[in-house]
């Protein structure tokens, strides 16, 4: 695949949906038919397809009970822009989860603890009494910083390491708190192939489908990330936000996140506050050490970038790839929606200077949005 084809693939539509839906293929409705209320029902169906009946029922109940919170209903009904791309329904779900975690309502707490299943009663009361709190959550874009996605990055790095044994310099945009930059501190089980720090309290064990990944040691030389709104984990509210974004019926994800947060706080990676495109331009212009493979990586972030910035960022990556040499190669690992938004693809593009300037690009895997499974094609 040549560079212009790669650009078209990664740019896709400006209008990405916010959550992954494999194996069921649910396409977004046309933009002109989208409204916030309908998006709650659409995301309810997606949550069920992704394995969360609880979140599905929460969103459906919120759709039915929304008028009990009139200001919230007005915001959702007149959402500025595309509510799917903004993950509007997931903001609402996180706000309700936060209220439950704070235990401000015995009825809501009992629902989330599984002591009753009257979703309409508990969610309706929470929307009414907690409207101010939920409105605050609606102002924040989702930043799950899902640790499960690190398995996809590790599998791609092992593929690179097998091709050429070099240490890696990782550059991640949309890094949030930088949890996925610390992937070598986690224990990965990739279909029976072990990687990372095997005694780590963070165990990343996706369901593995397809052929096994190649076994190769991954050595990280240095890491750096950027985010428009970096999350600082020393802040208790930031930690609450990350845990509230985890779906309430996925306790293993929450436990894994807590361990990853503890590791991050002990030795946090450097995360800059900036937009992706100018940051990439500066980082990729920095001299690259000989014998080190520079890797640009990102996951589920392109949908949130304005089209001009997205185009500038990806064009910058390919321009840097054209300058790569065998001693200073460049790789690009993308975990994003495909162009028609039917599946999340793990794509690896690699420039070594010994090939054509466009490099080589291939889809290594189809992945669950939160890392629950990896269908390996590499």
């Amino acid at each position: 695949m040549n560079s212009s084809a790669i650009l078209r693939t990664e740019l896709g539509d400006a209008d990405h949906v916010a959550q992954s839906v494999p194996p069921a293929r649910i396409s977004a409705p046309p933009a002109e038919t989208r409204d916030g209320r309908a998006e709650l029902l659409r995301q309810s169906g997606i949550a069920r397809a992704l394995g969360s009946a609880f979140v599905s029922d929460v969103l459906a109940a919120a759709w039915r009970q929304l008028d009990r919170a009139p200001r919230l209903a007005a915001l959702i009904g007149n959402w500025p822009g595309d509510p799917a791309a903004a993950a509007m329904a997931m903001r609402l779900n996180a706000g309700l989860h936060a209220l439950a975690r704070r235990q401000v309502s015995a009825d809501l707490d009992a629902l989330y603890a599984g002591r009753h299943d009257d979703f309409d009663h508990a969610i309706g009361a929470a929307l009414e009494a907690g409207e101010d709190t939920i409105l605050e959550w609606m102002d924040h874009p989702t930043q799950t910083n899902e640790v499960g996605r690190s398995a996809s990055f590790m599998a791609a790095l092992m593929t690179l390491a097998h091709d050429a044994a070099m240490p890696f310099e990782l550059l991640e945009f949309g890094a949030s708190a930088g949890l996925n930059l610390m992937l070598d501190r986690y224990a990965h089980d990739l279909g029976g192939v072990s990687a990372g720090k095997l005694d780590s309290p963070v165990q990343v064990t996706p369901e593995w489908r397809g052929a096994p990944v190649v076994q190769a040691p991954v050595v990280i030389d240095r890491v750096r990330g950027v985010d428009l709104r970096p999350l600082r984990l020393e802040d208790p509210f930031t930690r609450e936000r990350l845990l509230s974004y985890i779906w309430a019926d996925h306790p293993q994800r929450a436990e894994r996140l807590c361990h990853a947060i503890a590791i991050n706080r002990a030795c946090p990676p450097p995360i800059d506050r900036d937009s992706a495109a100018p940051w990439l331009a500066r980082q990729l212009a920095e001299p690259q050490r000989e014998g080190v493979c520079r890797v640009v990586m990102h996951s589920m972030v392109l949908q949130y970038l304005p089209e001009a910035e997205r185009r500038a960022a990806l064009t910058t990556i390919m321009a840097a790839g054209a300058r790569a040499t065998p001693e200073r190669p460049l790789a690009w690992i993308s975990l994003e929606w495909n162009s028609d938004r039917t599946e999340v693809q793990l794509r690896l593009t690699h420039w070594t200077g010994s090939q054509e300037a466009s490099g080589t690009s291939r889809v290594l895997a189809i992945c669950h949005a939160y890392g629950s499974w990896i269908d390996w094609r590499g």
Side-chain angles (χ1 to χ4, degrees):
M1 181 179 290
N2 62 33
S3 57
S4 60
I6 297 169
L7 182 60
R8 286 195 303 272
T9 298
E10 291 293 345
L11 282 172
D13 245 343
D15 217 7
H16 293 266
V17 292
Q19 304 295 332
S20 170
V21 201
R25 297 197 167 197
I26 302 176
S27 298
E32 62 270 14
T33 69
R34 290 184 187 163
D35 65 79
R37 284 179 177 262
E39 180 63 11
L40 294 181
L41 279 186
R42 196 181 74 89
Q43 285 291 344
S44 172
I46 289 175
R48 192 171 297 276
L50 281 170
S52 180
F54 184 86
V55 170
S56 177
D57 289 339
V58 165
L59 292 176
W63 175 77
R64 292 189 294 268
Q65 300 294 323
L66 190 58
D67 288 329
R68 294 182 66 173
R71 288 176 293 150
L72 179 63
L75 173 65
I76 289 175
N78 300 283
W79 189 264
D82 177 11
M88 180 275 297
M90 293 299 99
R91 301 184 193 201
L92 175 59
N93 177 66
L96 287 165
H97 192 189
L99 287 174
R101 290 179 58 82
R102 295 175 187 179
Q103 298 183 317
V104 297
S105 163
D107 198 31
L108 188 69
D109 181 39
L111 175 70
Y112 275 73
R115 295 195 294 271
H116 73 79
D117 61 358
D118 191 345
F119 283 83
D120 280 85
H121 180 75
I123 297 300
L127 291 173
E128 185 174 338
E131 184 176 25
D132 287 341
T133 298
I134 295 172
L135 284 169
E136 292 177 11
W137 282 80
M138 300 302 287
D139 282 339
H140 294 282
T142 57
Q143 288 181 287
T144 54
N145 210 187
E146 175 56 54
V147 176
R149 294 173 186 156
S150 65
S152 297
F153 288 135
M154 178 60 81
L157 290 173
M158 290 175 74
T159 302
L160 279 170
H162 180 265
D163 293 341
M166 284 186 179
F168 297 109
E169 173 194 5
L170 304 184
L171 302 173
E172 183 184 14
F173 65 90
S176 192
L179 296 181
N180 283 316
L181 283 171
M182 305 187 307
L183 77 175
D184 61 332
R185 304 185 206 174
Y186 308 152
H188 301 268
D189 181 348
L190 307 176
V193 176
S194 297
K197 191 174 184 294
L198 301 187
D199 62 349
S200 173
V202 178
Q203 300 285 320
V204 187
T205 57
E207 177 190 339
W208 193 267
R209 306 171 184 174
V213 68
V214 293
Q215 178 81 62
V218 171
V219 178
I220 307 299
D221 181 64
R222 63 179 291 266
V223 303
R224 194 166 196 92
V226 69
D227 200 279
L228 196 59
R229 301 174 185 85
L231 297 183
R232 307 303 183 191
L233 295 178
E234 65 272 15
D235 177 13
F237 178 64
T238 294
R239 299 195 296 274
E240 179 192 35
R241 281 182 62 194
L242 284 176
L243 286 165
S244 296
Y245 289 135
I246 298 291
W247 290 353
D249 53 347
H250 288 183
Q252 290 181 332
R253 287 176 59 204
E255 181 182 4
R256 185 173 61 192
L257 174 62
C258 288
H259 287 307
I261 287 173
I263 291 173
N264 177 292
R265 294 186 69 190
C267 187
I271 307 294
D272 301 318
R273 180 184 296 273
D274 203 350
S275 298
W279 182 85
L280 276 172
R282 291 194 302 273
Q283 295 297 319
L284 294 176
E286 287 288 321
Q288 181 176 344
R289 284 179 51 201
E290 183 175 341
V292 173
C293 180
R294 178 172 280 173
V295 180
V296 176
M297 53 189 265
H298 54 92
S299 61
M300 307 300 282
V301 68
L302 292 184
Q303 65 208 55
Y304 300 116
L305 299 183
E307 184 176 358
E309 182 177 0
R310 188 165 63 247
R311 185 175 296 276
L314 302 187
T315 302
T316 297
I317 295 170
M318 286 185 290
R323 302 190 298 268
T325 68
E327 297 78 21
R328 295 177 175 84
L330 179 73
W332 171 18
I333 303 173
S334 165
L335 183 66
E336 301 281 353
W337 282 98
N338 63 345
S339 59
D340 60 0
R341 297 165 289 159
T342 56
E343 59 192 18
V344 176
Q345 294 182 343
L346 174 66
R347 178 177 289 276
L348 171 63
T349 307
H350 191 200
W351 295 267
T352 65
S354 58
Q355 305 143 344
E356 58 176 315
S358 60
T360 60
S361 183
R362 50 184 165 151
V363 174
L364 294 180
I366 308 302
C367 304
H368 184 276
Y370 298 130
S372 297
W373 52 260
I374 296 175
D375 188 349
W376 188 251
R377 313 289 175 84

